[in-house]
Amino acid sequence: ILQIKKYLHALYNRRYLFLLISVTTALLIVIASFFTPKKYEAKSTVFIEENVVNSLMKGITVSPSMTDRIRVLRYHMLSRDIISRVLKKLEMDVKSETPDAFEGLIRHCQETTVITLRGSDLFFVSFVSADPQFAQNYINTLVNTYVEENLAAKREESFGANRFLSEQVSFYKKKLDEIEDEINTYRKKTGIMSTASEASLLEEIKTREEDLKGLRLKKLELTAGVNTMREQLNMMKSSATSQGSSLLDLMGGSGDDMRIDALRSQLEELLMVYNDQYPAVVKLREQIAELEKRQAAQPIQDPGPAVDNFNPFEDPVFVDLKMRMNTAQAELNALLAREREFLDQIEQNKKILANFPQDKKILADMERERNMTQNVYETLLERVGVAEVSKQMEVADKATTFRIVDPAILPTFPVGAKRLYKMLFGLALGIGAGLAAAFAREKLDDTVKDADALRALGMSVLAEIPLMFDEQQAKLVRKRDKLVYSYAGFCLSLIAVMIGHDLLGLTVLDQFIAYAKLDTLISGVTELIR
């Protein structure tokens, strides 16, 4: 208690200093709060929305990754390119006095713009400025520019991917056709088919050699038969053209009887193959009938005229023999052609077999490359379909997109600490400054103030004389008190008026400051001091 009394006594002794410092400091801070530049915040909310079509088409389409865009959202949105384009849309480059001032504005916007992410589907963009209209326009233009650029970038990615895949499909299709042509050409050149093997080639060579043996035996038989029939035909021609001899003499017989017997024998052979209406059969019967008729009319006839009138090519036996020889010759020619074919096949298979390991290895490498290219080509074809659907989704804006939930509105109230709080803080700071000044002055005063101070120095106090004031001095003290208290009361009144002005939500003082352009004056003085 004694210590408190001591402090109160010291405060009373330094009351003038305390009051002057306290009320003056508080009044200056309160007044300064009215000239503090007001900051207005514009804020926009953007929601990253995933369209229901995108969910339904999941696995069928591929959309550009939104996670990557969100990861670099802050850096992209605050890049110099976007900020400068936004400010140019607001014509701030024209309003700036110099290029350096415009660059400074860009840096200020980059430093002041705040982007806050919440989760993976929501973010906020805010900006604080002394001009509320500029803050609103800046935020809305920035968000719209980013959203438009993002959508354009996504569409460009989809179109670019589709275009790239189409080019790759054409490239690999051409490459696949070239490889197929090379494989076919190589197979024709080497004679190796995809199913060929050394065992199959050896088996085919063995089979063809066995077939060739049988074919040669049959060829020998046909050759012998053709030679025999050719000799018989030559004999018949000779007998038909010789003078004084006939076909009957060559056969060891004479007269119409032997000729009739030969014709009947030939007729029986023809009937075993042909019917009665066959021309050769009909002609043989006519000849037999003519011979029988002539034999009946002339039992004994000279065979000479008959031989002289005989034509081998009208003889059915000759004609049939000639036809059989031609048939055998044709079959022989076919066997010869087939023999040559078998020999060529055997020779070709032996040639293939000689180079088979190396040729098969080269062909396997070509087919492996063909299969790899085919797999890539089929995969690209599938991706082209996916890319086309993705492109259509981006064009129709059915994929993940940005939706501006709350665009920035014109801010009407400044942000930061409220002016009322600043004034109350100034009042408290003024009282604190007054107390600090009073106690500091008291500490620095080394005069003896009471008997206790002397006793503390080891001196004996014999008597105490109380302080005595005369009337003149008392009037001077009262006049001084009146002046100091009046000044303090005036300052406190101004402070109370200003605090009440803000408590009631009035704007009279603000309008007066704006009308008198006091804020401009203060700003100019501040800039000049700086």
Side-chain angles (χ1 to χ4, degrees):
I1 294 175
L2 293 175
Q3 192 69 22
I4 293 175
K5 287 182 178 181
K6 182 179 179 181
Y7 285 141
L8 291 176
H9 182 69
L11 182 61
Y12 178 76
N13 290 336
R14 306 296 178 184
R15 62 188 180 277
Y16 298 143
L17 180 63
F18 167 74
L19 288 174
L20 290 175
I21 296 295
S22 297
V23 298
T24 302
T25 302
L27 181 61
L28 290 176
I29 293 176
V30 170
I31 293 174
S33 66
F34 279 84
F35 293 94
T36 303
K38 300 178 181 64
K39 299 293 183 180
Y40 297 90
E41 182 184 33
K43 188 175 184 179
S44 179
T45 304
V46 182
F47 178 66
I48 303 172
E49 184 178 34
E50 184 174 352
N51 198 290
V52 65
V53 178
N54 195 24
S55 299
L56 294 175
M57 301 296 288
K58 190 173 184 180
I60 302 177
T61 62
V62 177
S63 298
S65 175
M66 190 59 62
T67 305
D68 296 337
R69 295 188 180 277
I70 294 173
R71 189 181 299 118
V72 298
L73 183 146
R74 181 179 290 105
Y75 306 100
H76 187 197
M77 187 175 287
L78 297 182
S79 64
R80 186 187 181 282
D81 178 57
I82 291 185
I83 297 294
S84 62
R85 283 192 282 119
V86 169
L87 293 177
K88 287 179 181 179
K89 289 180 181 179
L90 298 176
E91 299 182 350
M92 296 305 296
D93 56 334
V94 179
K95 297 178 182 179
S96 299
E97 297 178 356
T98 61
D100 292 338
F102 183 64
E103 289 295 328
L105 180 59
I106 292 176
R107 288 193 297 271
H108 171 71
C109 292
Q110 288 178 316
E111 295 170 358
T112 310
T113 305
V114 178
I115 300 174
T116 306
L117 297 174
R118 182 175 296 174
S120 59
D121 55 1
L122 192 67
F123 66 92
F124 306 91
V125 185
S126 61
F127 178 71
V128 177
S129 175
D131 186 355
Q133 187 64 52
F134 173 73
Q136 178 193 16
N137 294 337
Y138 169 77
I139 285 296
N140 287 332
T141 306
L142 176 63
V143 171
N144 289 330
T145 301
Y146 176 76
V147 170
E148 290 172 2
E149 183 173 298
N150 188 275
L151 294 177
K154 288 172 60 181
R155 290 174 182 174
E156 179 61 27
E157 285 183 17
S158 298
F159 277 94
N162 185 270
R163 183 169 55 252
F164 173 75
L165 288 174
S166 299
E167 293 173 354
Q168 293 301 308
V169 165
S170 301
F171 171 76
Y172 275 94
K173 180 64 170 66
K174 182 179 178 181
K175 184 177 180 180
L176 184 62
D177 293 340
E178 291 175 354
I179 295 176
E180 286 285 357
D181 293 340
E182 290 178 3
I183 291 176
N184 293 333
T185 303
Y186 190 78
R187 283 177 174 173
K188 291 178 181 178
K189 177 182 176 182
T190 59
I192 298 178
M193 296 295 107
S194 58
T195 57
S197 64
E198 291 180 292
S200 63
L201 289 173
L202 290 172
E203 182 65 27
E204 187 174 355
I205 292 173
K206 182 179 179 182
T207 301
R208 287 292 175 264
E209 288 178 347
E210 292 178 356
D211 293 342
L212 188 60
K213 291 179 181 179
L215 186 145
R216 285 176 174 172
L217 290 175
K218 189 173 182 180
K219 186 185 73 172
L220 291 175
E221 293 177 359
L222 286 173
T223 301
V226 168
N227 292 334
T228 302
M229 285 186 284
R230 184 177 289 111
E231 291 177 358
Q232 291 179 359
L233 288 174
N234 290 333
M235 291 174 63
M236 292 179 69
K237 287 181 181 180
S238 298
S239 65
T241 56
S242 62
Q243 296 293 330
S245 62
S246 65
L247 181 61
L248 297 175
D249 296 329
L250 293 173
M251 294 181 178
S254 61
D256 292 337
D257 292 336
M258 294 184 64
R259 190 171 182 180
I260 291 172
D261 292 337
L263 292 176
R264 284 178 177 174
S265 177
Q266 183 64 31
L267 178 63
E268 291 177 358
E269 292 180 1
L270 290 176
L271 288 175
M272 294 177 64
V273 179
Y274 306 106
N275 57 19
D276 294 338
Q277 304 301 323
Y278 189 68
V281 173
V282 174
K283 190 160 185 70
L284 280 175
R285 284 183 174 176
E286 290 178 353
Q287 290 181 359
I288 292 173
E290 181 67 25
L291 289 173
E292 289 178 347
K293 182 179 178 181
R294 188 173 58 183
Q295 187 180 30
Q298 300 177 3
I300 300 174
Q301 295 179 355
D302 187 6
V307 173
D308 293 338
N309 296 329
F310 177 72
N311 185 1
F313 294 101
E314 293 181 357
D315 188 351
V317 176
F318 182 86
V319 172
D320 180 67
L321 187 62
K322 181 69 175 177
M323 291 176 61
R324 284 190 291 169
M325 188 193 73
N326 291 338
T327 302
Q329 185 64 46
E331 187 175 355
L332 179 62
N333 293 337
L335 289 176
L336 291 172
R338 196 170 182 186
E339 180 184 18
R340 288 192 297 271
E341 181 182 354
F342 283 174
L343 289 173
D344 291 341
Q345 289 180 358
I346 292 172
E347 184 65 23
Q348 184 179 2
N349 286 335
K350 287 182 178 180
K351 184 178 179 181
I352 293 173
L353 193 60
N355 301 322
F356 186 82
Q358 182 65 23
D359 293 342
K360 188 67 175 178
K361 179 179 179 300
I362 295 174
L363 182 62
D365 293 339
M366 296 173 68
E367 289 180 342
R368 188 181 304 109
E369 183 180 1
R370 189 268 314 275
N371 294 335
M372 292 174 60
T373 307
Q374 179 74 26
N375 293 334
V376 174
Y377 175 70
E378 292 176 354
T379 303
L380 286 173
L381 280 179
E382 180 182 354
R383 291 289 186 268
V384 165
V386 173
E388 180 63 28
V389 177
S390 301
K391 183 184 73 173
Q392 297 301 326
M393 284 188 63
E394 293 297 337
V395 170
D397 199 15
K398 298 299 183 183
T400 304
T401 185
F402 293 93
R403 184 165 63 90
I404 302 174
V405 179
D406 291 324
I409 60 175
L410 183 66
T412 55
F413 296 98
V415 295
K418 292 185 178 180
R419 190 165 57 189
L420 178 61
Y421 297 156
K422 293 179 181 179
M423 289 187 286
L424 294 176
F425 174 75
L427 183 59
L429 185 62
I431 294 173
L435 290 173
F439 288 126
R441 182 68 183 85
E442 185 68 21
K443 278 288 184 182
L444 294 174
D445 187 5
D446 55 356
T447 59
V448 178
K449 300 175 180 62
D450 52 24
D452 293 336
L454 294 174
R455 293 188 187 96
L457 296 173
M459 297 181 181
S460 300
V461 179
L462 301 176
E464 293 185 17
I465 301 173
L467 184 63
M468 298 176 65
F469 293 96
D470 57 8
E471 186 62 27
Q472 188 68 26
Q473 190 175 5
K475 287 181 179 181
L476 184 60
V477 171
R478 285 195 296 271
K479 184 178 180 180
R480 188 184 298 170
D481 288 346
K482 185 177 181 180
L483 288 175
V484 173
Y485 293 152
S486 297
Y487 174 75
F490 175 73
C491 291
L492 290 175
S493 299
L494 288 178
I495 293 172
V497 169
M498 294 180 186
I499 293 176
H501 176 274
D502 271 25
L503 284 174
L504 296 175
L506 302 177
T507 59
V508 177
L509 293 177
D510 297 296
Q511 293 175 1
F512 172 75
I513 292 171
Y515 178 76
K517 296 184 179 180
L518 295 177
D519 52 348
T520 306
L521 178 62
I522 297 298
S523 299
V525 173
T526 305
E527 291 293 332
L528 184 61
I529 294 173
R530 291 179 181 177

